[in-house]
Amino acid sequence: FLFKFLVIGSAGTGKSCLLHQFIENKFKQDSNHTIGVEFGSKVVNVGGKTVKLQIWDTAGQERFRSVTRSYYRGAAGALLVYDITSRETYNALTNWLTDARTLASPNIVLILCGNKKDLDADREVTFLEASRFAQENELMFLETSALTGENVEEAFLKCARTILNKIESGELDPERMGSGIQYGDASLRQLRQPRGPQAQTRQPCSC
């Protein structure tokens, strides 16, 4: 499969550093504010299946908002990022969340990432407060550190795993336009049949 991902959130939360850490396994030292949108991709193994994540890193600054919004369409998953040392970036999450659910898809799989976990001494947002926000908005939640790499890969994989589970349960249809999911190879379509007890109840599609 190929999944389209977004990394969204306010400027300065470390979105580009998270993406760089995930793809290159190292910290991006000289990170400037993203202008418009940057792109990265990585092939990962999720539950025994090979999935290519196509990740769009969007600018957090307000003046690029109209540009970045056009990239939301057809995204299957997104990392919603705030900075644990900045209450302001946390307060802006509701707006980013609304954008993702209205512009991408109501079914978009979102994971909330409290980045800069390594700066715990300067924390302005508690783990408990953020996890409550995640619960209320039906989001997965992790605190990450783009500097040390803690939970970075896990955030992307957790999101991808949830999308895969939704495909297998029939909740997400890769055939639907704008699902943000593509088959890597047409011959793999028959793999969509879920294994397990429910496998007998689902007929293979004749597409």
Side-chain angles (χ1 to χ4, degrees), residues 59-95:
Q61 288 169 298
E62 189 59 46
R63 61 199 174 106
F64 295 117
R65 206 72 181 265
S66 56
V67 178
T68 56
R69 278 178 162 163
S70 59
Y71 284 86
Y72 281 57
R73 194 169 298 116
L79 268 68
L80 181 59
V81 187
Y82 71 96
D83 172 354
I84 68 160
T85 71
S86 162
R87 161 90 26 206
E88 194 186 339
T89 65
Y90 176 76
N91 291 343
L93 287 174
T94 311
N95 294 338

Side-chain angles (χ1 to χ4, degrees), residues 153-166:
E153 189 171 36
E154 181 55 25
F156 284 95
L157 292 182
K158 212 172 174 172
C159 209
R161 209 175 295 127
T162 306
I163 295 168
L164 205 55
N165 291 343
K166 287 191 171 195

